[in-house]
Amino acid sequence: MRMKLLPEIALILCLFIIGCHSRSSKSIDKVSLSPNEARAVCLASPNDGSPIGQAIREHQNRARRLSGKPDEWILVGKGWVRKARRSADPGFYVNVEACAQAALHTAPENLAALELHSLSLMNDHRFAEASHTAHLILAKDSKNRIALGTLSDAELEMGHFEDGADAAQKMMNLRPDMASYSRASYLRWLQGDRDTAKKFIRFALNGRDAQDAEPTAWTLVQAGMMFWNEGDYDGADAVFKEAENWVEDYPAALVGRARVALSRQRPQAAIPFLEQAYAAAPLVETAWLLGDAKEMSGDHEGALKSYDNVVAQGRRTDPLTLALFYATKNRDHDESLKLIETELKNRAGIYIEDAYAWSLYRAGRIAEARQASDRATRLGTLDARLLYHAGAIHLASGDPAGSDLVRKALSLNPRFDATGAVEAAKLVANHAK
């Protein structure tokens, strides 16, 4: 059944996929590689015996024999994309970009190679370039769904709401499949329409494919996050477990199960999930959650070590998450603002506006924080963290209605964050006096 998206819906799915909470890789396109250099990186060993690794090696062997054919390099690049997604390690997009360059050296206008290139640009948070590349593809193939998805994600990351929504609408109209329905589901969730969001995610899961399990596992994780965001911890845990049935030890599912354990006040149960996920994919947010779990369990030294990892890795790869971490923990205000203001030069959207608002709030710049918070909550997103931040900022600006927002956050998801939930409860109690 063909489902229409409302024209005002924004597509920000890449927050979950390769956006602000992921570990961005250093794109080799910043220094264009020679044909031999690109091929060498593309042909690097995947260093594993998994079916994905085996498929990469098989395509690499064909690429060596048929090096003048761009399609062979593209097939290797698609294998590296699958490996990046399966491992939750965006660093493999370096290999993806090398494959794109190897193909483009052979055929400079090859659309499939440009698709790979656009994915690596998105991973590297080079949104304007990703948008430009998508437009190049669409000028020759107006129905290219990969380009439309990239265009929508890139435009919305830059804060161009209508352009991003238009690209998302075109993608949905072309083929309502798992990718389209999962996007539609998240869009509805962003607007606070939880019932329709759940309906769309069920439609997405009708496209389950046992031959390519990772997209199903990822979609299940997004479904689990919807349940977690509304405080249904039992429902969320069941869905995260189902994701693990599709991809064993899937890092995103492990992190989801850890969130549930933390929300249930069971940090000792969360720690093994987070340690396993962090070993497989050392993302900044995972280190943050691991630090919270260890702090809650009484391991203060272990918590500090994890928080040190947040800072070290965040400075290298994920300034947005680091800025939000600083603001959440009420520390390093100057660095937090510097990080987020640098990010704002290249991107916009409700979550970066929320991080900016909270950084401003912690720095005592309440009027500016209120403006950023209003932008962050403009879609009506039912996210407890956004609601708590907005409520606290409203109260600080003299608006007593902020207490209602804080209460709404706690009613929605009472354990949304180890730090924020405690602060929110205290703020409500103090305001009631």
Side-chain angles (χ1 to χ4, degrees):
M1 178 171 60
R2 190 172 295 272
M3 305 298 296
K4 289 283 288 182
L5 296 184
L6 296 177
E8 68 270 23
I9 292 178
L11 179 60
I12 320 175
L13 185 64
C14 61
L15 278 173
F16 283 114
I17 300 175
I18 52 176
C20 60
H21 297 302
S22 68
R23 177 161 61 106
S24 65
S25 61
K26 181 179 179 181
S27 173
I28 57 177
D29 189 57
K30 291 177 181 177
V31 179
S32 185
L33 299 177
S34 70
N36 287 339
E37 290 170 335
R39 291 172 182 177
V41 177
C42 181
L43 296 173
S45 173
N47 290 323
D48 72 68
S50 70
I52 294 176
Q54 182 178 347
I56 290 174
R57 283 190 290 272
E58 290 174 357
H59 290 305
Q60 286 175 330
N61 289 335
R62 287 182 57 84
R64 289 186 182 95
R65 296 196 307 270
L66 303 169
S67 60
K69 294 185 177 295
D71 289 351
E72 301 304 328
W73 299 108
I74 291 162
L75 288 172
V76 180
K78 289 181 177 179
W80 283 115
V81 171
R82 291 185 65 201
K83 185 172 176 64
R85 288 181 57 88
R86 170 60 182 85
S87 64
D89 184 352
F92 288 115
Y93 278 92
V94 169
N95 306 85
V96 174
E97 176 62 19
C99 294
Q101 287 200 27
L104 291 169
H105 279 304
T106 301
E109 297 184 358
N110 186 281
L111 297 188
L114 289 173
E115 290 171 5
L116 290 179
H117 180 54
S118 71
L119 294 177
S120 72
L121 290 171
M122 285 298 297
N123 176 69
D124 205 38
H125 295 180
R126 295 161 64 187
F127 303 118
E129 293 169 78
S131 173
H132 174 71
T133 302
H135 278 297
L136 291 178
I137 297 169
L138 291 167
K140 297 183 178 181
D141 177 10
S142 63
K143 296 182 178 180
N144 190 299
R145 295 177 76 252
I146 292 178
L148 286 170
T150 298
L151 178 61
S152 182
D153 293 346
E155 291 297 325
L156 286 159
E157 282 285 353
M158 293 186 292
H160 304 156
F161 181 92
E162 294 297 336
D163 291 338
D166 180 65
Q169 178 69 70
K170 291 176 181 177
M171 184 181 179
M172 185 63 162
N173 290 345
L174 285 170
R175 187 168 72 243
D177 55 7
M178 179 176 282
S180 298
Y181 276 127
S182 61
R183 278 178 163 85
S185 172
Y186 185 59
L187 298 175
R188 295 295 182 141
W189 181 82
L190 283 173
Q191 287 196 316
D193 185 356
R194 293 181 290 178
D195 290 340
T196 305
K198 290 179 180 178
K199 180 174 70 174
F200 280 0
I201 208 74
R202 287 196 295 270
F203 289 158
L205 289 167
N206 288 337
R208 295 187 294 269
D209 181 2
Q211 300 302 312
D212 188 13
E214 192 278 335
T216 296
W218 179 252
T219 303
L220 284 164
V221 168
Q222 304 323 305
M225 287 299 296
M226 289 181 195
F227 287 102
W228 179 81
N229 271 297
E230 60 185 37
D232 183 355
Y233 304 138
D234 290 341
D237 201 40
V239 179
F240 292 137
K241 287 178 181 177
E242 178 62 17
E244 289 189 283
N245 289 336
W246 281 81
V247 176
E248 186 177 4
D249 299 330
Y250 192 48
L254 293 170
V255 172
R257 296 196 67 189
R259 287 187 190 277
V260 171
L262 288 171
S263 297
R264 290 170 168 167
Q265 301 289 282
R266 300 173 185 170
Q268 291 292 351
I271 289 171
F273 292 134
L274 291 166
E275 289 179 336
Q276 186 176 358
Y278 188 74
L283 302 184
V284 175
E285 190 172 28
T286 305
W288 176 354
L289 291 170
L290 182 57
D292 285 350
K294 291 186 174 181
E295 184 68 31
M296 290 170 64
S297 68
D299 181 4
H300 304 301
E301 183 177 345
L304 289 175
K305 182 177 179 180
S306 291
Y307 293 152
D308 286 344
N309 288 335
V310 172
V311 174
Q313 289 180 276
R315 287 172 175 167
R316 292 196 306 270
T317 65
D318 192 352
L320 175 54
T321 301
L322 177 57
L324 182 59
F325 168 79
Y326 280 150
T328 299
K329 301 300 183 184
N330 198 14
R331 52 174 282 195
D332 298 272
H333 302 148
D334 289 344
E335 185 177 352
S336 178
L337 281 169
K338 182 178 179 181
L339 289 167
I340 201 71
E341 286 170 351
T342 299
E343 286 289 286
L344 281 165
K345 294 176 182 178
N346 299 313
R347 62 199 301 192
I350 65 171
Y351 284 100
I352 195 165
E353 292 287 4
D354 173 67
Y356 186 42
W358 204 232
S359 296
L360 289 166
Y361 169 81
R362 294 299 203 191
R365 293 162 59 179
I366 304 303
E368 295 168 272
R370 175 68 182 267
Q371 293 175 349
S373 181
D374 288 346
R375 293 192 295 269
T377 56
R378 69 185 184 274
L379 297 178
T381 308
L382 294 176
D383 183 317
R385 176 179 275 166
L386 267 63
L387 293 171
Y388 161 55
H389 290 171
I393 291 168
H394 275 249
L395 287 171
S397 66
D399 180 2
S403 62
D404 293 334
L405 290 170
V406 180
R407 289 190 182 93
K408 186 175 182 179
L410 291 171
S411 174
L412 180 66
N413 185 359
R415 300 291 180 184
F416 64 89
D417 171 70
T419 303
V422 173
E423 289 182 349
K426 290 180 179 178
L427 192 59
V428 168
N430 290 337
H431 189 74
K433 292 179 180 179

